[in-house]
Amino acid sequence: MEPIRVLHVVSSLSKGSGVVNMIMNLYKNIDRSRMQFDFMYFFEKEYSFEKEIIDFGGNVHHFPVSRPKELIMTMSSMSDFFSKHKEYKILHVHVPSLAWFVMTIAKFNKIQNRIIHSHGTMYGEGTLKTIRNFIFFKITLLGANRYWACSKAAAKFAFGAKKVIRGNVNIVNNSIDMKKFRYSHKIRDDIRNRLGLSGEIVVGHVGGFVPVKNHKFLIDVFNELKKTHEKCVLLLIGEGPLVASVVEYAKMKKVSESVFFLGARSDVNDLMQAMDILVLPSFKEGFPVVSVEAQAAGLNCLLSDTITEEVRLTNLVHYLSLSQGPEEWSNKIVEIVKGNKRDEITYESKLELFDNEKASTKLEQYYLDLL
């Protein structure tokens, strides 16, 4: 019997994408003899999951869209694609503001189940992008007949409170490999020695260098921390369009020698062992999976109060308003780190629900219930 094939639509297959990492975490743990994931994507990235997908038995379909004038040609090719690939009974769109035309074409070709998945609580950065993405999202919504989200906050934002209350939205946990992130004193010492961080307070951040992540505020916070605790460092993990400007800002604040720009990494689990606290001063987040990873690693988290309370799975999560300013954030970091008892952490039932094995079993059932 041939496995059920689910077609996931993403912007790229980048290993730096939180959404793609979430899908791959689930893909690694599903019963691939019964269910297979295929991927449709638009932008090529060097650091991608393409090899892993093919090794798992999945297929990848690239539809390049780099300029508006290419859109008609892409849509025509995609229409041919869907007319030939009748095996897809489930289309799962993770980038609704980008893939509006995919959903429209899939509906025209009578794809049975068309899932729109909300991964955030904002349409875009800036007024023009927000308006554009809002329009495209609504077009995608017209073609969808299934509604999924990474959190209740993301579900209410995208589909409205009434749909959530009525149970018309599936909440799909952003899962992780819990065992991979469990705290290890040995790994902590090894990483800190390798980076020369034996006595420092190590503040960490994991996320793309985009406006919503608020990196410059984090640099301001770190600048305040340096005034009272000279032996501290900031680890910034991720890549994105704002890297250069954040590097310059750190130089301007005269803290660049203590800020490590580590780029996209495959060893985030190990780097979290070396940290003393994860700080996320984001303007908005749907459900930052990095906060789940940190809690699995026994790492305290200081988050802006714009981030959903749903990520508070343990007592390791602390919230602060961005309006409190960098000095108050710095003081809070010191307070949290001083009270840290990492060797005494326990894994609570709420956190265990985000383990890959449990989440992938739940996802399989969601898909099977559609057929």
Side-chain angles (χ1 to χ4, degrees):
M1 182 179 174
E2 286 294 313
I4 296 163
R5 304 202 81 91
V6 179
L7 182 61
H8 291 274
V9 182
V10 294
S11 60
S12 76
L13 301 179
S14 171
K15 290 187 176 181
S17 164
V19 170
V20 179
N21 271 281
M22 181 274 290
I23 301 168
M24 292 301 295
N25 281 338
L26 295 165
Y27 191 19
K28 290 171 187 175
N29 286 275
I30 63 169
D31 182 351
R32 293 191 293 277
S33 67
R34 298 174 64 204
M35 187 168 293
Q36 272 291 343
F37 288 178
D38 293 345
F39 292 78
M40 176 184 288
Y41 71 103
F42 307 108
F43 305 111
E44 292 279 17
K45 299 285 184 180
E46 289 182 10
Y47 189 55
S48 91
F49 280 112
E50 183 169 353
K51 184 180 183 302
E52 288 93 326
I53 292 166
I54 293 169
D55 287 346
F56 286 159
N59 300 310
V60 296
H61 307 286
H62 181 215
F63 286 86
V65 183
S66 56
R67 290 171 292 185
K69 66 180 182 181
E70 296 174 346
L71 183 58
I72 294 174
M73 187 182 299
T74 299
M75 290 175 71
S76 176
S77 299
M78 195 171 291
S79 186
D80 290 342
F81 170 85
F82 280 119
S83 65
K84 292 174 184 175
H85 289 271
K86 299 298 184 183
E87 70 270 25
Y88 294 122
K89 307 299 182 187
I90 302 173
L91 176 75
H92 194 154
V93 173
H94 297 271
V95 282
S97 297
L98 174 64
W100 56 273
F101 56 93
V102 181
M103 193 69 85
T104 304
I105 295 168
K107 184 178 181 180
F108 180 79
N109 281 274
K110 296 181 172 54
I111 302 298
Q112 184 180 338
N113 296 285
R114 303 177 302 278
I115 302 166
I116 181 171
H117 196 139
S118 172
H119 289 278
T121 53
M122 62 187 298
Y123 290 113
E125 303 281 354
T127 304
L128 289 178
K129 282 188 177 179
T130 297
I131 293 171
R132 180 199 66 188
N133 291 346
F134 172 79
I135 293 169
F136 288 156
F137 186 94
K138 294 303 179 184
I139 294 171
T140 310
L141 199 56
L142 290 173
N145 60 359
R146 305 283 182 252
Y147 312 97
W148 293 19
C150 65
S151 67
K152 286 184 179 177
K156 288 177 182 176
F157 169 79
F159 311 121
K162 287 183 180 178
K163 262 192 170 64
V164 178
I165 293 168
R166 290 171 185 161
N168 294 335
V169 182
N170 278 343
I171 305 300
V172 180
N173 293 337
N174 289 342
S175 65
I176 64 168
D177 183 346
M178 206 69 66
K179 298 183 190 71
K180 183 178 171 184
F181 283 88
R182 284 184 183 270
Y183 178 64
S184 164
H185 193 75
K186 181 182 183 304
I187 294 174
R188 175 180 171 83
D189 287 346
D190 288 347
I191 297 293
R192 287 173 75 99
N193 288 335
R194 193 186 311 164
L195 295 176
L197 310 175
S198 56
E200 281 84 350
I201 293 175
V202 180
V203 179
H205 182 277
V206 183
F209 282 75
V210 291
V212 71
K213 298 295 184 179
N214 206 10
H215 279 87
K216 288 185 178 179
F217 181 85
L218 181 55
I219 296 293
D220 288 337
V221 172
F222 184 68
N223 182 44
E224 292 296 329
L225 185 62
K226 288 289 286 183
K227 292 176 184 178
T228 57
H229 292 75
E230 180 60 29
K231 294 194 75 175
C232 63
V233 298
L234 175 62
L235 306 184
L236 298 179
I237 302 167
E239 57 186 9
L242 299 184
V243 172
S245 67
V246 177
V247 169
E248 288 304 311
Y249 194 69
K251 288 178 182 176
M252 187 184 81
K253 289 289 182 177
K254 298 181 180 178
V255 295
S256 59
E257 289 186 2
S258 301
V259 181
F260 291 63
F261 290 85
L262 301 179
R265 301 287 292 240
S266 59
D267 60 345
V268 172
N269 55 315
D270 288 343
L271 291 169
M272 279 188 172
Q273 311 297 324
M275 297 175 190
D276 294 302
I277 189 168
L278 180 81
V279 180
L280 300 181
S282 304
F283 291 117
K284 287 276 187 180
E285 292 273 4
F287 190 103
V289 69
V290 64
S291 66
V292 180
E293 295 171 344
Q295 289 174 82
L299 182 63
N300 276 285
C301 306
L302 179 58
L303 315 180
S304 57
D305 63 2
T306 56
I307 296 174
T308 176
E309 281 273 347
E310 293 172 77
V311 303
R312 195 200 290 270
L313 305 172
T314 68
N315 61 2
L316 295 168
V317 176
H318 312 265
Y319 288 93
L320 200 61
S321 170
L322 293 173
S323 65
Q324 294 293 314
E327 187 175 352
E328 283 302 312
W329 276 68
S330 171
N331 292 339
K332 190 67 176 176
I333 288 170
V334 173
E335 176 190 323
I336 293 168
V337 170
K338 278 185 177 178
N340 186 25
K341 295 181 179 179
R342 203 157 175 185
D343 288 323
E344 298 177 10
I345 62 167
T346 57
Y347 292 87
E348 302 176 27
S349 57
K350 276 187 184 179
L351 186 57
E352 293 289 356
L353 291 174
F354 288 77
D355 183 64
N356 280 338
E357 291 183 11
K358 290 183 174 65
S360 56
T361 299
K362 187 177 178 181
L363 180 68
E364 277 186 54
Q365 195 57 53
Y366 275 161
Y367 286 137
L368 291 171
D369 287 345
L370 297 176
L371 302 174

